[in-house]
Amino acid sequence: MRPTSILILASLLVVGCAPAAEDEAPQETSETPDGSGTATASPAPPDSLSGTAWRADAEDGARFVTYLDEDGNYRDLRNGDPYQKGEWTYAEGARGKMLCFLPDDEAGIETCWEPGKREDDTMIVTGPEGRRVELTSVAYEPPAEDAEAEEEAGEQ
């Protein structure tokens, strides 16, 4: 697996999920032979990942944070420094909801992860070749405003 794919996955794990109320698994009732129903939780991924941030810790001690911006862009930091950016999608796929990243890099290859149920501030995502990564929700920080764009807007 390419280091870029691992970093993207790690970043995804760091991005926070939607509020906990949306993340709770729906209760399903299954009938027992005597006609009484029993409640069973069905694992479900979060409904939305927009405007969230996730942290993943690499085996070498590096800490990755991925910000999933509401405009469909993502930003990866490695130990607090800009690392990678591109576009992200979270949509229904062949195996259910998939979180996919397409780096801006010309040689970038889209990598998709299958998110699991969010539990407290963590979520396990499963990627290519069954690789599992634990993500921890962190505070989302919107992208910094472009200083030049602000200056141009002020001159008009």
Side-chain angles (χ1 to χ4, degrees):
M1 179 182 299
R2 294 180 43 187
T4 301
S5 298
I6 293 171
L7 294 177
I8 290 173
L9 177 58
S11 296
L12 290 179
L13 296 175
V14 177
V15 178
C17 287
E22 292 180 16
D23 294 338
E24 292 179 12
Q27 295 291 317
E28 294 180 359
T29 303
S30 59
E31 292 295 319
T32 58
D34 66 357
S36 65
T38 57
T40 58
S42 64
D47 290 332
S48 174
L49 292 173
S50 183
T52 63
W54 298 94
R55 182 187 72 231
D57 298 319
E59 291 176 8
D60 67 358
R63 181 169 278 186
F64 294 92
V65 174
T66 299
Y67 294 97
L68 300 177
D69 299 326
E70 294 178 351
D71 64 0
N73 291 309
Y74 74 89
R75 300 168 283 127
D76 283 336
L77 302 179
R78 182 180 191 272
N79 296 329
D81 295 323
Y83 182 75
Q84 187 174 54
K85 61 183 181 171
E87 297 177 357
W88 70 276
T89 58
Y90 184 56
E92 211 51 53
R95 297 182 345 213
K97 282 208 167 186
M98 299 293 287
L99 177 59
C100 299
F101 296 91
L102 180 60
D104 283 346
D105 182 351
E106 287 181 23
I109 297 173
E110 184 175 55
T111 304
C112 295
W113 299 87
E114 182 179 2
K117 180 182 177 195
R118 181 175 176 180
E119 296 191 24
D120 296 322
D121 288 337
T122 64
M123 176 173 58
I124 303 290
V125 295
T126 305
E129 301 175 12
R131 179 173 169 82
R132 295 170 49 93
V133 176
E134 181 177 271
L135 301 177
T136 303
S137 176
V138 297
Y140 173 79
E141 296 177 17
E145 294 291 325
D146 184 1
E148 289 182 30
E150 288 180 8
E151 288 178 20
E152 288 177 18
E155 292 175 3
Q156 295 178 356

